[in-house]
Amino acid sequence: MRQLWFGGPIYTMVREMETVEAVLVENGHILDTGNLADLKEEADEWVNLNGAAMYPGFVDSHLHILYQGEKLMRLDLSQAQTAEEMLDMLKQASEKTPEGKWLFGDGWNENQFIDKRIPSIAELDAIHSGPMLLTRVCRHMTLVNTAALKAGGIDEHTIAPHGGEIGRDENGNLNGLLYDQAMNAVNDAQPRLGEEYITYLTEALDRAIRQLQSFGVTGAHTEDMDYFGSYQNPLAAFQRTVGKEHHFRVNLLRHNAVFEEMMKDNLPYDEPFIEPGAMKIFADGAFGGSTAALSSPYADNPDTSGLLIHKDEELVRLVQQARAYGEAVAIHIIGDMAAEQVIGILEKYPVQPGKRDRLIHCSVLRPDLIERMKKLSVVLDLQPAFVPSDFPWVIDRLGPERLELSYACKSLINEGFMCAAGTDAPVEDINPIWTIYAAVERKYPGDQHDGYIPEEKITRFEAIQMYTVGSAQAICKEHERGLIKRGYVADFSIFDRDLFSGTTEDMLKAKAVKTVVDGRIVFERS
């Protein structure tokens, strides 16, 4: 059956502000675009947009979709404004948690606390006798109680693994803070076996996909394969849900810890809804815990320059492993030292033709690194929402001299890089409209200033391109996704207002009215 979509502005994203009157769709693909009068006789069914604005399907290029689903099922600490408020929320949750059972919380951020104080391990122990695991918003740092440390086999004599730190107070006692690789021991101590656990993951995935679709998102590049026990657990959840229960497109990045096992198992995927992605590697940590690797010490903590997760020889081994299987790598780099390490290795071991490596975040760069990056086959996976979240506190952490090429979205686009947009959810708000606003204004709504590093603002067209064309380029699918064009997939994000009209504050009011994947309406606002 041929559907004709018409009745509102339809932005092709081929060129800035280019629109067509109608789009003809059959079997999940766009047959033609053009004038309504020319196409109406070819249609069997007519879908009137009633003034709503249509765009190519928005795809979140970087998130952790199962973590996002878990966030919807767990205690949300992101709204706590003080340590005491966070502790009150934990007390209430503990009353509903059976004694001895794990208590999970997500999203705390001491930088938004009025007092900047992180609760102590003694305060957590007084609230709950069972293991308590509280994940910081950046997901590179956790706060746990004594029971959780014991579950993970961590005591006063435990030596932190390479690429991680075990927090201690001024007297050398454990303070409950775990950084990056040191988090693994407690994370791995959680029960993650059996059908009941897969059912739990399936519910988390279902909730996350429904939420994404309600915001107009048609697909996501997600990294979940190494955090939920055997990779077969999350993969089973995807296989039960995506393409069956939900029409949604996921590209599965595969963590280096499970990549080779997944390759050797020669797994079936349900393309084009479940697609295998690049090898995911973490090169460093994050600014929140001062673990992002910088080429000179932190301005507010001169005793550290952050952490490189891998030694050079280990990172070389991982990249070579990906190349042996003909795959690209997707590497988390926040600090310029991490960028320098990664660029040097990619220069020696380039990706095969027809593939692109992915550099994720790229929060602090230098001119010499940008020049070297231009010679690589890479796409940049950026998170514009980091700007309002990290500023102004990150200024003190980095120092003013490093800000020139920090969170440098406009500069990177101007240098000709392919750039995709993601939320890193649950780190940032999953709503793409918020990310677009953050890219354009670089501040929170209502802030009385011109944005943080305002010269790095981009246009609305550029921001929406990152969600459409950019996300397609990230997986070398720009020949069939990311545009409203003949032969492309019929994935559409349809909003109740034109995102290019009115003020950016007006744009923030936009709501998805329909989300279309493969020609099917998968979400419709009543």
Side-chain angles (χ1 to χ4, degrees), residues 46-104:
W46 291 263
V47 184
N48 193 334
L49 295 170
N50 294 312
M54 176 190 283
Y55 305 83
F58 284 16
V59 174
D60 192 315
S61 70
H62 183 74
L63 72 142
H64 306 271
I65 196 168
L66 285 174
Y67 278 150
Q68 178 67 18
E70 282 192 321
K71 180 181 178 181
L72 300 174
M73 301 164 70
R74 290 180 171 181
L75 176 63
D76 182 4
L77 299 171
S78 63
Q79 301 307 307
Q81 297 297 309
T82 64
E84 283 67 32
E85 188 175 340
M86 177 173 162
L87 290 166
D88 286 341
M89 295 168 74
L90 292 169
K91 288 174 185 174
Q92 294 178 39
S94 180
E95 292 172 0
K96 303 173 186 175
T97 305
E99 189 171 344
K101 295 293 185 180
W102 286 77
L103 193 164
F104 299 100

Side-chain angles (χ1 to χ4, degrees), residues 73 101 191-204 233 240:
M73 301 164 70
K101 295 293 185 180
R192 291 169 170 166
L193 295 170
E195 178 62 27
E196 183 179 352
Y197 185 60
I198 294 174
T199 300
Y200 162 79
L201 293 179
T202 302
E203 181 183 353
N233 291 334
R240 293 180 185 186

Side-chain angles (χ1 to χ4, degrees), residues 152-169:
I154 297 174
D155 60 25
E156 299 288 348
H157 305 291
T158 303
I159 299 173
H162 180 79
E165 288 185 3
I166 298 173
R168 298 178 185 273
D169 62 22

Side-chain angles (χ1 to χ4, degrees), residues 152-402:
I154 297 174
D155 60 25
E156 299 288 348
H157 305 291
T158 303
I159 299 173
H162 180 79
E165 288 185 3
I166 298 173
R168 298 178 185 273
D169 62 22
E170 61 275 9
N171 298 315
N173 299 314
L174 299 177
N175 63 9
L177 292 171
L178 302 173
Y179 303 83
D180 287 292
Q181 297 297 94
M183 300 187 302
N184 294 344
V186 172
N187 287 333
D188 293 343
Q190 300 167 46
R192 291 169 170 166
L193 295 170
E195 178 62 27
E196 183 179 352
Y197 185 60
I198 294 174
T199 300
Y200 162 79
L201 293 179
T202 302
E203 181 183 353
L205 181 59
D206 177 80
R207 292 191 186 202
I209 290 176
R210 289 182 188 277
Q211 185 188 38
L212 282 158
Q213 290 173 336
S214 75
F215 286 124
V217 178
T218 62
H221 307 166
T222 182
E223 199 251 308
D224 310 272
M225 293 294 108
D226 185 45
Y227 310 111
F228 305 95
S230 166
Y231 79 80
Q232 294 174 353
N233 291 334
L235 186 60
F238 280 102
Q239 290 170 335
R240 293 180 185 186
T241 305
V242 178
K244 297 177 176 65
E245 190 71 23
H246 293 293
H247 259 50
F248 191 75
R249 300 186 195 272
V250 293
N251 185 275
L252 302 181
L253 300 182
R254 293 166 286 182
H255 192 283
N256 62 263
V258 297
F259 176 84
E260 187 165 41
E261 182 185 3
M262 294 183 73
M263 295 301 296
K264 286 181 176 179
D265 286 349
N266 195 26
L267 301 166
Y269 293 91
D270 186 13
E271 299 185 63
F273 299 109
I274 304 176
E275 299 171 333
M279 176 195 279
K280 172 65 181 294
I281 305 170
F282 285 87
D284 67 344
F287 291 136
S290 299
T291 56
L294 299 172
S295 54
S296 59
Y298 280 84
D300 64 348
N301 186 2
D303 292 332
T304 185
S305 297
L307 294 171
L308 288 173
I309 301 295
H310 302 285
K311 296 177 181 178
D312 287 354
E313 56 269 26
E314 174 63 11
L315 191 54
V316 166
R317 186 189 69 80
L318 293 174
V319 172
Q320 287 180 316
Q321 186 180 82
R323 303 304 192 230
Y325 287 100
E327 268 300 350
V329 292
I331 308 183
H332 163 117
I333 52 173
I334 287 188
D336 61 330
M337 179 59 73
E340 186 169 356
Q341 182 193 40
V342 168
I343 292 165
I345 292 170
L346 297 185
E347 288 170 337
K348 294 178 181 177
Y349 306 98
V351 69
Q352 70 178 54
K355 298 253 183 180
R356 295 187 186 106
D357 290 324
R358 181 189 302 231
L359 303 183
I360 303 170
H361 307 315
C362 304
S363 298
V364 173
L365 294 169
R366 306 190 307 261
D368 63 300
L369 298 177
I370 289 176
E371 289 304 311
R372 291 168 65 185
M373 287 162 57
K374 286 181 185 178
K375 300 173 185 176
L376 301 174
S377 178
V378 294
V379 63
L380 308 187
D381 187 346
L382 308 180
Q383 290 65 47
F386 281 3
V387 175
S389 289
D390 291 2
F391 284 80
W393 61 264
V394 80
I395 298 174
D396 293 333
R397 191 142 297 177
L398 293 176
E401 69 282 354
R402 267 189 285 243

Side-chain angles (χ1 to χ4, degrees), residues 24-36:
L24 188 66
V25 171
E26 185 178 37
N27 294 328
H29 284 76
I30 298 171
L31 284 182
D32 207 352
T33 67
N35 296 324
L36 177 60

Side-chain angles (χ1 to χ4, degrees), residues 23 152 444 459:
V23 177
Y444 282 115
T459 67

Side-chain angles (χ1 to χ4, degrees), residues 448-468:
Q448 299 302 305
H449 57 80
D450 194 33
Y452 299 106
I453 320 179
E455 56 270 25
E456 292 297 337
K457 291 180 178 181
I458 63 175
T459 67
R460 285 187 236 187
F461 179 75
E462 289 169 328
I464 293 173
Q465 267 193 323
M466 291 173 70
Y467 257 103
T468 54

